[in-house]
Amino acid sequence: MSKASPSTGKSSDEIKQARRRLSVMSDNKLVEGFENSVTLEEPEEVASTPSEGGFIVNSYGGYSKKGYAPYNPKKKNQDALIMAEDPKTRSLLFCVMDGHGEDGDKVSQNIKSKFANYLFKHKDFENDIPAALTEVVNRCEQEVLRDTAIETDFSGTTFTCAIIRNNHCTLCNIGDSRTSIAFRNKTGGVSAINLTIDHKPDMPAEKARIEAKGGRVFAVEYDDGVDGPARVWLGHMDVPGLAMSRSLCDAVAHSAGVSSEPEFFEYDFNPDREDMILVMASDGLWEFMSDQEVMDLAYSTTEPRFAVDRLISESNERWMREEQVIDDTTVCVAFLGNFQSNAATTASSPPK
């Protein structure tokens, strides 16, 4: 378990240079595709305000939007978003999953359907959040792996979540979805830091674990001469090409050293500075936007739902400019303390 430490993430130039393709094209047809539409649908989640006063979060909202790719018009949104409150412990749960592979949408949606209920009822949730999270994440993963209706050899999901209680946040991360926070700086604007660490295969500790299990880590060079991200491969075969070192399910990748062990981070909302905005999102947002760019844009809005809409629109535009495709993008935004608290409104229906 780690204390969250400041990190400014990648700059815009570095992001543009780190080319990412949505999938490794191969004969096994396990190619990530996207719905042939970029219009917003009815939101899976809505803006809301915590049910009791005196909470660090004054309002929040989230949305999960399908991506776009011309080569696969039938694929469903593989991301999933959870926003839920537990009145008993006065806890707020945010969770984002980014599914991948043939049944990535089934993996993420299956976990979404039960995770909050399992967690809030867990015997350790009130007094030991990391212990409860560890057991519930494992339970959800094992139930998906046992479900014969879901292909899990080459399908899986990232998983990142935050439990906010009193003035403290416990974060749990598996994969490359991310949570970041912004605080007011001395110039009157905001400074951004990421609270979780993306699990990439070329991180020294992650790569060592994968190679110790017989897996390989290398990037694919594309026709334009630009290397894609580092990926995980079996020792004797060029599959599955997973672009993260930790995930849920993905049985073949796990045989090559990919792990489902969650990494925990603890963060105290800082009494010595003004924490203002928390953003959790799948890598559809972070791929072409730095933490600072995300927070600057969110800071310019008056409500979380407006921040979510602008962030998704901006990230989608950058995807089209850079890759001519758009990744599924899920964004959750929370306004903290007194930031825009007078402008926040309560939606007519609570978060699911």
Side-chain angles (χ1 to χ4, degrees), residues 64 74-75 82 122 148 154 178 203 209 218 226 234 243 258 272 294 329 333 344:
S64 186
K74 298 181 180 180
K75 190 261 183 200
I82 302 171
H122 193 279
T148 58
F154 293 93
R178 187 189 310 163
M203 295 172 63
R209 185 191 66 244
F218 63 87
V226 178
L234 295 178
V258 170
D272 299 323
V294 165
T329 306
V333 174

Side-chain angles (χ1 to χ4, degrees), residues 175-188:
D176 60 1
S177 295
R178 187 189 310 163
T179 303
S180 293
I181 198 166
F183 58 90
R184 190 182 299 279
N185 58 35
K186 294 180 180 179
T187 65

Side-chain angles (χ1 to χ4, degrees), residues 104-326:
D105 59 308
K106 295 180 181 178
V107 175
S108 61
Q109 290 299 321
N110 184 289
I111 296 173
K112 173 181 175 173
S113 70
K114 61 188 69 170
F115 180 76
N117 183 53
Y118 285 178
L119 183 65
F120 293 160
K121 291 182 178 180
H122 193 279
K123 60 182 177 59
D124 291 328
F125 181 62
E126 185 171 359
N127 299 311
D128 191 344
I129 294 174
L133 281 168
T134 299
E135 290 191 9
V136 171
V137 168
N138 181 66
R139 176 183 177 184
C140 289
E141 180 184 33
Q142 293 305 314
E143 289 182 0
V144 174
L145 289 170
R146 289 194 296 266
D147 190 334
T148 58
I150 303 177
E151 193 289 312
T152 53
D153 283 347
F154 293 93
S155 302
T157 186
T158 69
F159 180 93
T160 194
C161 79
I163 307 295
I164 301 173
R165 185 184 298 170
N166 299 321
N167 203 44
H168 187 77
C169 182
T170 298
L171 302 109
C172 167
N173 191 52
I174 303 168
D176 60 1
S177 295
R178 187 189 310 163
T179 303
S180 293
I181 198 166
F183 58 90
R184 190 182 299 279
N185 58 35
K186 294 180 180 179
T187 65
V190 291
S191 295
I193 57 173
N194 55 287
L195 298 181
T196 58
I197 297 172
D198 300 352
H199 294 131
K200 298 296 187 180
D202 54 357
M203 295 172 63
E206 301 293 295
K207 184 176 181 180
R209 185 191 66 244
I210 291 164
E211 291 179 341
K213 292 286 187 178
R216 295 174 296 156
V217 174
F218 63 87
V220 175
E221 182 178 325
Y222 294 99
D223 293 338
D224 57 7
V226 178
D227 285 347
R231 296 180 182 272
V232 180
W233 313 87
L234 295 178
H236 63 288
M237 190 181 303
D238 288 347
V239 294
L242 192 65
M244 66 199 72
S245 57
R246 300 193 193 193
S247 71
L248 296 179
C249 299
D250 287 309
V252 171
H254 279 235
S255 72
V258 170
S259 172
S260 58
E261 180 181 354
E263 184 173 16
F264 289 95
F265 305 87
E266 303 288 345
Y267 182 78
D268 290 315
F269 293 102
N270 201 315
D272 299 323
R273 69 182 184 210
E274 187 181 357
D275 287 328
M276 304 179 73
I277 305 167
L278 183 143
V279 175
M280 176 182 292
S282 62
D283 70 344
L285 176 68
W286 305 114
E287 188 62 35
F288 297 111
M289 295 186 71
S290 68
D291 296 81
Q292 188 63 49
E293 287 176 311
V294 165
M295 292 305 182
D296 285 342
L297 194 154
Y299 180 62
S300 69
T301 65
T302 57
E303 296 181 33
R305 60 192 176 115
F306 298 145
V308 169
D309 181 64
R310 288 195 61 191
L311 288 169
I312 292 177
S313 295
E314 177 64 24
S315 64
N316 283 187
E317 289 178 7
R318 296 192 187 196
W319 269 98
M320 285 301 292
R321 286 201 305 266
E322 296 290 336
E323 302 284 359
Q324 293 77 55
V325 292
I326 303 172

Side-chain angles (χ1 to χ4, degrees), residues 43 45-50 57-64 81-83 92 94 278-280 303-309 311 330-335 345 347 351:
E45 308 291 348
V46 295
S48 186
T49 301
V57 174
N58 70 57
S59 56
Y60 60 90
Y63 189 87
S64 186
L81 170 65
I82 302 171
M83 302 189 299
L92 182 58
F94 298 141
L278 183 143
V279 175
M280 176 182 292
E303 296 181 33
R305 60 192 176 115
F306 298 145
V308 169
D309 181 64
L311 288 169
T330 299
V331 179
C332 175
V333 174
F335 282 0
T345 57

